[in-house]
């Protein structure tokens, strides 16, 4: 089965073609980073308009790259939420109208399901069950994943998401949007042991996380230090986030009795986090899988893949009737069973 995936929940237009036999055939991405940079964050109205401009040319580009025609598609999967309402509407309306015209199913996929299944697109895909650590711009949570549609929330952030903490801290350090990659680059030349930043909720006993205090601690350091100290501040911040996530990841594996951790979402691209998780989990005899770097952040491949898995389970899924709903706020548990 050939599935076209469309991701447009935030500031990336991602399109991909996934074949249930041959795997990922092609994917294309347009990032709006340059468009929103001047505003220090995503401007929803500009995001929607840009998705409209990019989406059809990107679909053509992806089909050309895979040497496939629209008429060969068996289904279209698109991000139905959570995300920016206007941005989601662009992907959903293109997907549903195209599916209606082609008389094929259109599947509204949960964005976070896409992220948490994305490591399965890698070279050594982990088997179920596993603990998924989802760390993106909008979410930070531990989920127990026992199979498709079997997702159990183990713990989550009580305030900022990990990516949000990276972005806000980067802003304090005068770095450009998006902050995560810029902060990690700065941290490369810094001393992570110089500033003893707090490790919020390290010993809370549960799997919840908190990052807003860390950002406050950095804002105090920024007031009392010079720009030449910023690499050390950035490295110390990264170390604090990595320490907490590693500690809680080990705890999540211990509580569930599982042996595999899968890291997904934009912050999963962070090299310090990757290195520390790999080292600490391997020491415990556990296994950690990361999506290929380009699939850590938003992309169409993870949506095409999630849609393909659902379609395999429900080959009788009805063709698009043209009507659809988007879910700007959407709990992953409420979604389980949508297909
Ligand atoms: O998953 P994603 O692309 O979009 C959401 O669904 O939110 O995640 C974006 C987040 C941003 O906050 C960005 O700063 C962060 O991921 N990020 C990173 C890195 N690359 C992206 N954070 C830390 N280190 C990185 N290398
Ligand atoms: Zn995302």
């Amino acid at each position: 089965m050939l599935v076209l995936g469309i991701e447009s929940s935030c500031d990336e237009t991602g399109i991909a073609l996934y074949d249930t036999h041959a795997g990922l055939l092609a994917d294309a991405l347009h990032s709006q980073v340059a468009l929103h940079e001047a505003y220090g964050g995503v401007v929803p109205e500009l995001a929607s308009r840009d998705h409209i401009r990019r989406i059809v040319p990107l679909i053509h580009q992806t089909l050309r790259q895979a040497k496939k025609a629209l008429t060969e598609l068996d289904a279209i999967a698109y991000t139905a939420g959570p995300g920016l309402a206007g941005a989601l509407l662009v992907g959903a309306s293109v997907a549903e109208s195209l599916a209606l015209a082609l008389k094929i199913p259109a599947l509204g996929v949960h964005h976070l399901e896409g992220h948490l299944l994305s490591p399965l697109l890698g070279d050594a895909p982990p088997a179920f069950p596993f603990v998924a650590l989802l760390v993106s711009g909008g979410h930070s949570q531990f989920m127990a994943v026992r199979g498709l549609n079997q997702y159990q929330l183990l713990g989550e952030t009580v305030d900022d998401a990990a990516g949000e903490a990276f972005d806000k801290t980067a802003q304090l350090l005068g770095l450009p949007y998006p902050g995560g990659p810029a902060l990690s680059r700065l941290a490369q030349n810094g001393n992570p042991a110089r500033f003893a930043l707090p490790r919020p909720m390290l010993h809370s006993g549960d799997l919840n996380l908190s990052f807003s205090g860390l950002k406050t601690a950095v804002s105090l350091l920024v007031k009392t230090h010079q720009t030449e100290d910023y690499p050390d501040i950035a490295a110390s911040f990264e170390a604090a986030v990595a320490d907490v996530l590693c500690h809680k990841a080990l705890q999540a594996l211990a509580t569930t009795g599982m042996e595999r951790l899968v890291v997904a979402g934009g912050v999963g691209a962070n090299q310090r986090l990757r290195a520390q998780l790999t080292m600490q989990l391997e020491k415990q005899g556990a296994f950690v899988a990361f999506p290929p770097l380009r699939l850590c952040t938003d992309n169409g491949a993870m949506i095409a893949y999630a849609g393909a898995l659902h379609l395999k389970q429900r080959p009788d899924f009805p063709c698009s009737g043209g009507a659809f709903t988007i879910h700007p706020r959407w709990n992953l548990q409420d979604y389980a069973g949508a297909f």
Side-chain angles (χ1 to χ4, degrees):
M1 274 178 304
L2 184 64
V3 180
L4 177 74
I6 299 181
E7 155 62 35
S8 73
S9 65
C10 190
D11 59 347
E12 256 120 18
T13 322
I15 308 289
L17 272 172
Y18 183 83
D19 183 285
T20 46
H21 296 293
L24 188 61
L25 299 185
D27 64 326
L29 189 79
H30 177 77
S31 164
Q32 301 178 356
V33 162
L35 180 69
H36 301 292
E37 203 173 5
Y39 305 94
V42 179
V43 183
E45 178 62 22
L46 293 184
S48 319
R49 289 188 215 171
D50 199 58
H51 284 305
I52 294 174
R53 262 193 300 272
R54 308 288 175 180
I55 198 160
V56 173
L58 274 181
I59 291 175
H60 285 305
Q61 181 186 324
T62 310
L63 286 165
R64 260 199 318 275
Q65 205 181 323
K67 297 190 172 58
K68 296 283 179 190
L70 270 181
T71 47
E72 291 175 83
L73 296 179
D74 293 298
I76 302 178
Y78 63 95
T79 305
L84 302 170
L88 290 167
L89 275 173
V90 178
S93 48
V94 168
E96 293 280 355
S97 44
L98 199 51
L100 181 70
L102 295 168
K103 297 188 176 59
I104 56 174
L107 297 94
V109 167
H110 195 292
H111 181 80
L112 294 184
E113 179 181 55
H115 274 306
L116 68 83
L117 296 176
S118 60
L120 304 182
L121 282 166
D123 289 336
F128 295 122
F130 53 76
V131 170
L133 167 59
L134 276 177
V135 270
S136 70
H139 293 83
S140 292
Q141 46 190 228
F142 286 101
M143 310 274 311
V145 182
R146 297 189 167 84
L148 193 65
N149 284 335
Q150 294 176 54
Y151 314 126
Q152 180 198 356
L153 182 66
L154 300 170
E156 63 184 333
T157 180
V158 297
D159 42 55
D160 292 351
E164 197 179 352
F166 266 94
D167 293 338
K168 288 179 177 169
T169 303
Q171 212 167 15
L172 291 170
L173 297 174
L175 297 169
Y177 159 88
L183 190 145
S184 330
R185 273 193 301 277
L186 184 68
Q188 274 169 9
N189 307 314
N191 172 8
R194 166 134 179 238
F195 298 105
L197 288 170
R199 267 57 174 163
M201 296 181 74
L202 191 65
H203 301 295
S204 63
D206 55 24
L207 292 169
N208 288 335
L209 302 158
S210 165
F211 294 108
S212 69
L214 202 47
K215 175 194 66 199
T216 312
V218 169
S219 78
L220 293 175
L221 282 181
V222 166
K223 284 195 189 110
T224 50
H225 289 79
Q226 310 300 317
T227 44
E228 57 264 31
D229 300 313
Y230 284 11
D232 292 345
I233 298 179
S236 303
F237 166 82
E238 239 187 15
V241 175
D243 273 0
V244 175
L245 291 176
C246 281
H247 181 91
K248 297 266 169 163
L250 285 169
Q251 198 181 323
L253 292 176
T255 348
T256 53
M258 292 183 186
E259 289 166 348
R260 286 178 288 272
L261 179 82
V262 153
V263 184
V267 181
N270 187 271
Q271 292 302 338
R272 180 185 300 277
L273 178 66
R274 286 182 168 235
Q276 198 166 326
L277 274 174
T278 306
M279 197 184 69
Q280 294 196 359
L281 266 72
E282 277 176 4
K283 225 191 294 174
Q284 303 282 327
F287 170 84
V288 56
F290 300 94
L293 266 180
R294 70 191 172 84
L295 300 180
C296 272
T297 46
D298 291 350
N299 63 85
M302 65 185 193
I303 303 302
Y305 180 64
L309 291 190
H310 285 296
L311 201 64
K312 263 211 275 200
Q313 276 204 343
R314 269 212 56 190
D316 59 338
F317 197 81
C319 293
S320 171
F324 61 90
T325 319
I326 52 137
H327 309 268
R329 299 173 66 88
W330 207 5
N331 193 316
L332 193 53
Q333 264 114 348
D334 295 339
Y335 160 77
F339 300 111

